[in-house]
Amino acid sequence: MQIILLTDIANLGHKDDVINVKPGYGRNYLIPQGYAILATEAAKKIVAENTKQRAHKEAKLKAEAEELAAKLAELKLTVGAKTSSTGKIFGSVNNIMISEALLAQGFDIDRKKIMLKEIKEVGTYTAVIKLHREVKVDVQFEVVSE
């Protein structure tokens, strides 16, 4: 079943992508929730026209994201966490903590755009920030004991 996505969906596709999904997933979840529409010929033509008009705006947004990525790549963050005497963290460091540390440095990044692995010990780690569909940046941060 071919559908056109109306929003970005993780691990599936981006807005205005024409993708193939299983019929049950499309009819029972994506379409009723408003995440997608059926990919008819008329809908494909409308999406093609909208995509052509949006291309210039996308280029500008991508350039801004690349500029921000260059600034973020040079940045070193420090995140404090409560730890035991052996260096184990009580709980874990998550994307909300990274977002707050970035905000303290003057960068307002949504926490949903920050991807990290599970962090349970003091040390230096890398977070991946998705600034744009095609622009990702690795930000180094250090977890220290408070």
Side-chain angles (χ1 to χ4, degrees), residues 78-84 87-94 97 119-123 142-146:
T78 303
V79 177
K82 293 184 180 182
T83 60
S84 67
K88 294 266 189 193
I89 296 173
F90 298 126
S92 66
V93 174
N94 56 22
M97 294 175 162
I119 299 169
K120 294 280 190 177
E121 294 182 2
V122 173
E142 184 177 3
V143 179
V144 295
S145 179
E146 284 184 334

Side-chain angles (χ1 to χ4, degrees), residues 2 4 18 37-49 51:
Q2 277 197 336
I4 299 171
V18 178
I37 58 172
L38 279 175
T40 61
E41 290 302 317
K44 287 180 185 178
K45 288 179 184 178
I46 291 170
V47 168
E49 183 64 30
T51 304

Side-chain angles (χ1 to χ4, degrees), residues 126-139:
T126 303
V128 178
I129 301 175
K130 295 180 181 179
L131 297 172
H132 184 267
R133 174 188 274 192
E134 301 166 3
V135 180
K136 296 179 184 176
V137 63
D138 293 337
V139 175

Side-chain angles (χ1 to χ4, degrees), residues 58-74 107 129-137:
E58 283 288 325
K60 183 179 177 185
L61 289 174
K62 184 179 177 186
E64 289 174 359
E66 288 173 345
E67 183 180 318
L68 182 59
K71 292 178 184 176
L72 286 174
E74 301 168 0
F107 297 99
I129 301 175
K130 295 180 181 179
L131 297 172
H132 184 267
R133 174 188 274 192
E134 301 166 3
V135 180
K136 296 179 184 176
V137 63

